Amino acid sequence: MTRKNYLSVILALTGWLSNCFAGGGVLLSEDSCIMTIGFYEAHFTAYQPTTSGDKQFCEDLDDTGNTIFVLDYLHKSLSEVPVDFRIIKNVTSKGEFVQINDIKEIIDIEDVTVFYQKPVIKSNASYTVSHDFMEEGEYVGIVTAGHPTNSNIYSSVFPFRVGKVSLPWPIIIFITLILIFGTYLYRMTRSD
């Protein structure tokens, strides 16, 4: 195997790793965050103007405090249906891998809800909510939207952390292994 092939393997694994960071319904795509709500899509951005100025967040937030969440709709029909936005404490024990079925298992969602915006139609195709986080920790955002012509309800679930963000151990171990493997391959190809 040539050095170019080894580097291709490392780049492919690194690309896979970057997808591991995108959890739930928010995905980093070409320098913007895209939220999928059923068949709908929206640009998703969070801001913490008091502590981080105009820095944009896709998932994890640096600090507690005032946070503004913005959804800019990419589908015209999304601006014709009611959309709601809920933030709960992540009590699922699933961490960043929480899904809508895990949320449905919560007996009293109101008990763990820290913010709720009732369904509202945003005909200007831009949905903005603001919440003041008082505690660091793991949270889950849940956005639901109806269908324009039937009774279907679609959901997007995105886990995120507020406050000190640290990498999960499996990711740290994976990065370490990639670095060790990459160093080994590099040395092997240089000795040829």
Side-chain angles (χ1 to χ4, degrees):
M1 204 177 221
T2 66
R3 179 188 298 176
K4 185 176 180 181
N5 290 343
Y6 288 126
L7 292 176
S8 296
V9 169
I10 291 172
L11 288 175
L13 289 173
T14 304
W16 174 81
L17 177 64
S18 67
N19 286 333
C20 291
F21 285 109
V26 178
L27 176 66
L28 181 60
S29 173
E30 297 180 20
D31 295 332
S32 66
C33 302
I34 303 295
M35 174 179 284
T36 303
I37 313 162
F39 67 93
Y40 300 119
E41 287 185 338
H43 285 289
F44 173 84
T45 311
Y47 300 92
Q48 293 189 303
T50 307
T51 58
S52 299
D54 60 357
K55 179 180 176 182
Q56 298 180 11
F57 297 91
C58 189
E59 287 181 328
D60 294 334
L61 305 170
D62 288 346
D63 301 302
T64 57
N66 184 39
T67 304
I68 300 168
F69 297 93
V70 180
L71 293 173
D72 290 316
Y73 301 161
L74 297 176
H75 286 89
K76 183 181 184 322
S77 59
L78 191 54
S79 63
E80 300 168 359
V81 298
V83 177
D84 72 350
F85 192 99
R86 181 184 301 267
I87 301 170
I88 65 170
K89 293 180 182 176
N90 193 347
V91 295
T92 65
S93 74
K94 301 286 181 153
E96 63 190 64
F97 301 105
V98 63
Q99 299 292 323
I100 190 63
N101 290 336
D102 304 314
I103 302 301
K104 289 177 181 178
E105 291 178 4
I106 298 173
I107 294 169
D108 185 4
I109 197 160
E110 297 300 328
D111 193 42
V112 295
T113 296
V114 296
F115 174 83
Y116 181 65
Q117 169 64 55
K118 292 180 182 178
V120 61
I121 295 174
K122 294 290 188 173
S123 57
N124 66 351
S126 185
Y127 188 104
T128 303
V129 295
S130 178
H131 175 66
D132 192 8
F133 286 96
M134 305 305 277
E135 299 177 17
E136 292 183 351
E138 292 185 13
Y139 295 88
V140 179
I142 307 159
V143 177
T144 60
H147 189 277
T149 59
N150 61 43
S151 61
N152 289 346
I153 301 293
Y154 304 101
S155 299
S156 181
V157 174
F158 59 99
F160 62 97
R161 181 158 179 77
V162 174
K164 296 178 182 83
V165 177
S166 59
L167 292 175
W169 279 106
I171 301 297
I172 292 170
I173 292 168
F174 182 78
I175 291 171
T176 304
L177 290 174
I178 289 292
L179 291 173
I180 292 169
F181 181 67
T183 303
Y184 171 75
L185 291 177
Y186 178 74
R187 288 184 179 176
M188 291 293 290
T189 58
R190 288 204 30 129
S191 65
D192 291 341

